[in-house]
Amino acid sequence: MTNQDPFRVLQEDESAIKYQFSKVVSQELSSPAGGPLVDNPCWGGPQEETHNLSHLLDLIASGQFNADPTKRDETIILHNDKDFLVIDKPPDLRMDGPYPATVHKLVTYWFPPPSLTKSILEHTSDTDLTQSKHRQLLLEQISKISKTNDVPDNIIRTTHQLDYATSGVLLMAKSKEAAAIACQSFADRVTRKEYLAIVHGNIEKSVPVLTKEQEVTFSQWMDGSFEDKLRKKKMVTSIQHRKGSVTFMGYLPPHSIFAKWKGLKQKSRKRKRGDLSS
């Protein structure tokens, strides 16, 4: 087999693979009316109100996500100090975004920035704010945010990510300095990760299977060589545009790495045509 550029092979195979997978996924996950895909977490229910942060908080408090039934009153916080926060992420929970419940909203509720607390006090006339009223107002404020930078004084920063359906240990930082150290550790692959996958049933024939050639190509996602190649290209670009000032781009999931690489290729083509000034 001749050595092929993984970027070119990925680009050629991307459309075909995406199309095949999209047909299967859309059949399995689309709404009966053919509408857009919506979250339906395993810890929720058929009612929309069981998908929100308030319902998730109640489940956590009841010990729903604790493996040890004798520790039902404990939260999913595994470690908490001045630099880092470690939680046991529940399954079917997105990291952030405009969804009723996310990791970002959950952590913001536990560690509300001063601006949110101040806003609650300014917009209530209650002289004696009860705990239930405070929870209600805080949840209302948090429901309006979707990204970390929506709240300027939010100190919690994500250092890596877990997929929507994946549960497990999630490390978050409480300062820029701590986040930089943790992100660099993940980038240098000095951290150790272990995954446990539980499967059920058989693979349907309609699900596409990678060929031997595609397996070789995509194996470079696993050993980090594809990610390293993109990071080196990004660093060179940063040096050229920032005159030597390089900012660590942080953790990126595979789909973001591929999207950024495509963006860099498009900009390069535009510059060659003279459509984009350098």
Side-chain angles (χ1 to χ4, degrees):
M1 183 185 301
T2 59
N3 292 329
Q4 293 180 292
D5 184 355
F7 294 125
R8 184 175 64 80
V9 176
L10 286 172
Q11 190 175 27
E12 292 174 352
D13 292 341
E14 178 192 16
S15 298
I17 294 175
K18 276 188 174 181
Y19 174 72
Q20 294 177 44
F21 270 110
S22 64
K23 290 196 300 182
V24 177
V25 172
S26 61
Q27 292 172 359
E28 294 294 331
L29 300 180
S30 60
S31 63
L37 300 181
V38 294
D39 286 345
N40 184 19
C42 61
W43 45 263
Q47 298 82 15
E48 224 174 281
E49 57 268 22
T50 60
H51 302 170
N52 61 28
L53 181 58
S54 178
H55 181 70
L56 177 61
L57 286 166
D58 290 339
L59 292 177
I60 292 173
S62 68
Q64 177 75 24
F65 302 104
N66 287 335
D68 187 348
T70 64
K71 299 180 180 180
R72 297 190 64 83
D73 294 330
E74 295 187 10
T75 68
I76 59 176
I77 297 178
L78 304 178
H79 177 81
N80 180 27
D81 60 31
K82 65 182 181 64
D83 295 315
F84 295 104
L85 171 69
V86 183
I87 69 170
D88 183 5
K89 175 188 170 297
D92 290 359
L93 186 65
R94 298 188 185 277
M95 294 296 297
D96 56 15
Y99 302 95
T102 64
V103 170
H104 175 223
K105 290 180 178 178
L106 176 63
V107 174
T108 302
Y109 177 85
W110 282 332
F111 302 91
S115 60
L116 286 187
T117 304
K118 182 180 178 181
S119 177
I120 291 174
L121 296 176
E122 289 177 347
H123 292 83
T124 180
S125 58
D126 296 343
T127 56
D128 187 16
L129 194 61
T130 63
Q131 185 175 357
S132 60
K133 183 67 174 178
H134 181 272
R135 170 182 165 130
Q136 177 188 345
L137 294 173
L138 182 57
L139 288 173
E140 289 177 1
Q141 292 290 330
I142 293 175
S143 67
K144 302 174 185 178
I145 64 178
S146 59
K147 297 179 293 184
T148 303
N149 57 7
D150 285 345
V151 184
D153 56 342
N154 190 346
I155 64 171
I156 306 296
R157 290 171 168 79
T158 303
T159 62
H160 65 117
Q161 298 191 26
L162 291 178
D163 290 340
Y164 168 73
T166 305
S167 62
V169 178
L170 183 67
L171 174 66
M172 311 186 81
K174 291 187 175 182
S175 66
K176 291 182 179 179
E177 295 75 16
I181 293 173
C183 287
Q184 191 64 57
S185 296
F186 281 105
D188 294 340
R189 301 185 182 277
V190 298
T191 55
R192 179 183 176 185
K193 299 179 184 178
E194 292 185 2
Y195 288 88
L196 173 65
I198 302 176
V199 297
H200 174 73
N202 301 313
I203 298 177
E204 298 292 338
K205 292 182 178 180
S206 58
V207 176
V209 178
L210 296 179
T211 64
K212 290 294 183 181
E213 183 178 354
Q214 289 171 336
E215 285 182 3
V216 173
T217 300
F218 282 93
S219 66
Q220 296 181 68
W221 289 87
M222 302 298 295
D223 62 17
S225 58
F226 182 76
E227 182 178 355
D228 291 340
K229 186 172 182 178
L230 178 69
R231 288 187 184 279
K232 289 178 182 178
K233 184 176 181 64
K234 179 67 175 179
M235 183 172 293
V236 172
T237 305
S238 298
I239 293 174
Q240 292 173 346
H241 287 271
R242 302 185 186 186
K243 297 180 180 179
S245 176
V246 181
T247 301
F248 175 62
M249 61 195 301
Y251 169 83
L252 286 176
H255 64 272
S256 296
I257 295 173
F258 190 66
K260 283 186 174 292
W261 171 80
K262 288 177 63 178
L264 291 173
K265 295 293 287 186
Q266 290 173 355
K267 287 183 179 180
S268 177
R269 286 194 292 267
K270 287 182 178 179
R271 286 196 181 93
K272 290 179 180 179
R273 293 198 306 264
D275 298 337
L276 185 65
S277 59
S278 58

